[in-house]
Amino acid sequence: MDISRIDLNLLVYLDVLLRERNVTKAANHLGITQPAMSNSLRRLRDLFSDPLLVRTSEGMTATERARELQPLVRAILADIEQAVQEKTPFEALDSQRVFRIMASDYAESCLMPRVLRRIRQEAPQVTLDVLTPSDVSFLDVEQGRLDMAINRFDKIPQSFHQKTLWIEYFACLLNARNPILKQPFTLDTYLDASHIWVSKTGFGVGVGVNPNDVQRLGWVDEALSRMGRKRRISVFTRHYQSAMLLAEQHDLIATLPSRAAWLQKDNANLVVKVPPFEIPPFELKMAWSPLLQHNPDHQWLRRLISDVAEEVDEEFAPFGARFESVNAPLAHQSER
């Protein structure tokens, strides 16, 4: 195929069509008429010899070929935007930029205070807007409305760039007067106790929890289920800070990421224990839109967050070593 004969604007139209899945919305987004958008869709179908979008009971649905094209087209457009964008260095000291970051409250507690401290040192006029997972969607990240998402992700769009900040293991947080501490902390004593469930990952608004739906309860309960065991959950919360407060005030066990437990290491009312069973670790990642990959402001932010994460990792290491599995993966930062 002779690429000089292809109207590259069609790729822009295709990108928006596959995001909106609606001809009218795509036309409004691009500032063109609906007939013009419909004509562009016809030309795209001819170009790729595929219907691309098919009307179903759920609206316009992307074909398999369209789903294959979407990350490729997004990457091509990001490269074109980078090629024509004027390069201006980021002047941290004078910048008044607002950075919007989605962070789970675990990441917000363990990482963001140090990130803010560093930003205040290097870019005192920069504003940080921290949002929760319930505030945003993958679309917000993809379109660059959100600068960064920091969380544990089960799934992430292929087009996103991402970097592992650290590998996290689990710890148990208990009231220092919890009666189970009078005996060895075994799996049986762990299961005899009452527990605090805490988790909120990914994006979107959360829903109520079914205590009997192990697959949706997360890593701790899935690990127990693989052994044919089950814990008694008395409290469900989506906030790690709340879980730590509840563990302090009641005879409950909070099983939570070890860096969250580390924040309570000087709290005389709490005791930190190694879980008496194997819980697979997870990765804390930051993810961002390909639209921002080459942006100097964003490059500065990524470097700052990565540097802070390394500092946290080094300071945490003496406390955290006991929680690591014998078959622990290497805890190094990686990016793609």
Side-chain angles (χ1 to χ4, degrees):
M1 180 182 293
D2 184 358
I3 195 170
S4 65
R5 291 170 159 264
I6 298 174
D7 180 359
L8 293 182
N9 283 322
L10 288 175
L11 297 183
V12 176
Y13 299 156
L14 178 59
D15 181 51
V16 176
L17 275 166
L18 293 180
R19 284 206 311 265
E20 299 291 349
R21 308 289 173 91
N22 182 289
V23 171
T24 302
K25 289 182 179 179
N28 290 338
H29 182 90
L30 291 168
I32 62 176
T33 64
Q34 183 175 340
M37 191 76 252
S38 296
N39 183 56
S40 297
L41 177 56
R42 180 186 57 75
R43 292 171 64 194
L44 283 163
R45 285 168 167 165
D46 291 341
L47 177 63
F48 292 105
S49 301
D50 187 271
L52 299 176
L53 289 171
V54 178
R55 192 174 301 282
T56 67
S57 59
E58 298 180 352
M60 297 293 280
T61 301
T63 64
E64 183 177 355
R65 176 64 171 147
R67 290 195 298 270
E68 291 172 354
L69 287 169
Q70 189 167 20
L72 300 175
V73 170
R74 180 90 296 277
I76 290 168
L77 293 177
D79 286 343
I80 293 173
E81 287 167 356
Q82 166 62 15
V84 301
Q85 188 179 45
E86 182 181 356
K87 275 278 191 180
T88 54
F90 178 66
E91 302 292 345
L93 198 61
D94 300 320
S95 175
Q96 297 183 12
R97 195 188 191 294
V98 177
F99 286 109
R100 291 184 171 82
I101 300 175
M102 183 283 281
S104 63
D105 87 308
Y106 151 67
E108 191 172 5
S109 300
C110 299
L111 180 66
M112 295 312 294
R114 294 174 186 242
V115 168
L116 178 60
R117 189 181 311 140
R118 180 72 72 84
I119 288 176
R120 297 294 299 159
Q121 292 170 353
E122 297 185 16
Q125 298 183 74
V126 159
T127 300
L128 194 62
D129 183 10
V130 182
L131 298 95
T132 71
S134 299
D135 295 327
V136 298
S137 67
F138 278 135
L139 186 61
D140 294 318
V141 180
E142 182 181 50
Q143 295 184 349
R145 292 195 292 264
L146 187 75
D147 292 292
M148 190 74 70
I150 303 176
N151 208 342
R152 166 194 178 269
F153 302 105
D154 292 322
K155 293 180 181 179
I156 199 164
Q158 187 180 356
S159 62
F160 285 15
H161 292 276
Q162 58 180 286
K163 183 170 187 175
T164 298
L165 297 176
W166 61 56
I167 293 174
E168 182 63 284
Y169 296 84
F170 287 84
C172 295
L173 205 58
L174 300 83
N175 187 304
R177 298 179 298 279
N178 194 313
I180 72 167
L181 293 175
K182 296 177 181 178
Q183 51 191 313
F185 192 60
T186 65
L187 178 59
D188 287 336
T189 54
Y190 176 91
L191 294 177
D192 285 341
S194 295
H195 294 265
I196 303 163
W197 178 96
V198 54
S199 180
K200 181 68 176 80
T201 62
F203 287 81
V205 178
V207 295
V209 175
N210 179 354
N212 297 315
D213 190 351
V214 172
Q215 295 301 316
R216 292 183 178 272
L217 289 179
W219 44 77
V220 175
D221 297 279
E222 287 177 7
L224 287 169
S225 178
R226 284 192 289 271
M227 297 185 293
R229 310 298 291 270
K230 184 179 179 180
R231 61 178 175 163
R232 182 172 67 252
I233 300 172
S234 296
V235 183
F236 290 88
T237 179
R238 277 74 176 167
H239 303 282
Y240 287 95
Q241 291 286 1
S242 296
M244 289 184 277
L245 290 171
L246 290 168
E248 182 177 351
Q249 296 176 12
H250 301 279
D251 291 335
L252 298 166
I253 299 176
T255 306
L256 69 179
S258 55
R259 282 171 184 78
W262 177 51
L263 298 177
Q264 300 295 321
K265 63 183 184 299
D266 298 322
N267 188 336
N269 295 322
L270 291 171
V271 173
V272 181
K273 289 284 190 180
V274 177
F277 60 101
E278 189 81 15
I279 307 172
F282 68 88
E283 294 178 298
L284 181 72
K285 293 184 177 183
M286 61 179 180
W288 62 94
S289 168
L291 295 175
L292 298 172
Q293 171 69 3
H294 303 289
N295 181 285
D297 303 16
H298 201 270
Q299 290 174 337
W300 174 84
L301 178 66
R302 296 199 305 265
R303 283 194 298 269
L304 185 145
I305 293 174
S306 296
D307 289 347
V308 170
E310 287 185 2
E311 289 177 6
V312 172
D313 224 18
E314 289 176 9
E315 189 176 336
F316 168 75
F319 176 90
R322 58 180 154 153
F323 302 104
E324 293 187 8
S325 161
V326 176
N327 300 315
L330 294 175
H332 65 278
Q333 293 190 346
S334 60
E335 182 175 342
R336 74 162 178 83

